[in-house]
Amino acid sequence: MSGEPSPPAPLAPAPISSKPVSEALLNEKWDRCLSSLLIRSSLGLGFGVVFSVLIFKRRAWPAWVGLGFGAGRAWEECDASFRRGGSTIGKEAMRVGRA
């Protein structure tokens, strides 16, 4: 014995908790809804600002209307996604299946 302490015994890996498929699907839908809301609202706001500058003499209401149209479109898409229930489309089904 050389006086060195022996290395500690390796610990067993902690069990990985996997989410149920329904929870993963719900999380995927919420992620898609929030990203769609952000993107569509930003695009609507951008178009509103451009139209405000070019056509409406720099009034604020076209920007707000564009923002509202973008958010409304995202809301309808999200609502349709949740109403579809378990049915998924293309990439969404592949991502949930691999998770």
Side-chain angles (χ1 to χ4, degrees):
M1 302 267 179
S2 64
E4 292 182 17
S6 62
L11 298 173
I16 298 172
S17 63
S18 63
K19 295 180 182 177
V21 175
S22 61
E23 186 176 341
L25 183 62
L26 188 62
N27 287 341
E28 184 72 26
K29 286 185 178 186
W30 273 111
D31 288 345
R32 186 177 296 267
C33 286
L34 292 176
S35 65
S36 177
L37 176 70
L38 181 67
I39 291 168
R40 292 181 190 273
S41 296
S42 299
L43 284 173
L45 181 66
F47 278 113
V49 167
V50 168
F51 285 135
S52 173
V53 170
L54 295 178
I55 299 173
F56 296 107
K57 299 180 183 178
R58 298 184 185 196
R59 309 255 186 211
W61 67 266
W64 289 107
V65 169
L67 180 76
F69 275 121
R73 178 70 180 125
W75 178 275
E76 286 299 317
E77 185 179 309
C78 185
D79 188 43
S81 173
F82 279 112
R83 287 184 190 269
R84 259 195 318 265
S87 65
T88 56
I89 301 174
K91 288 183 183 178
E92 187 176 337
M94 291 173 55
R95 278 188 285 200
V96 171
R98 284 186 280 176

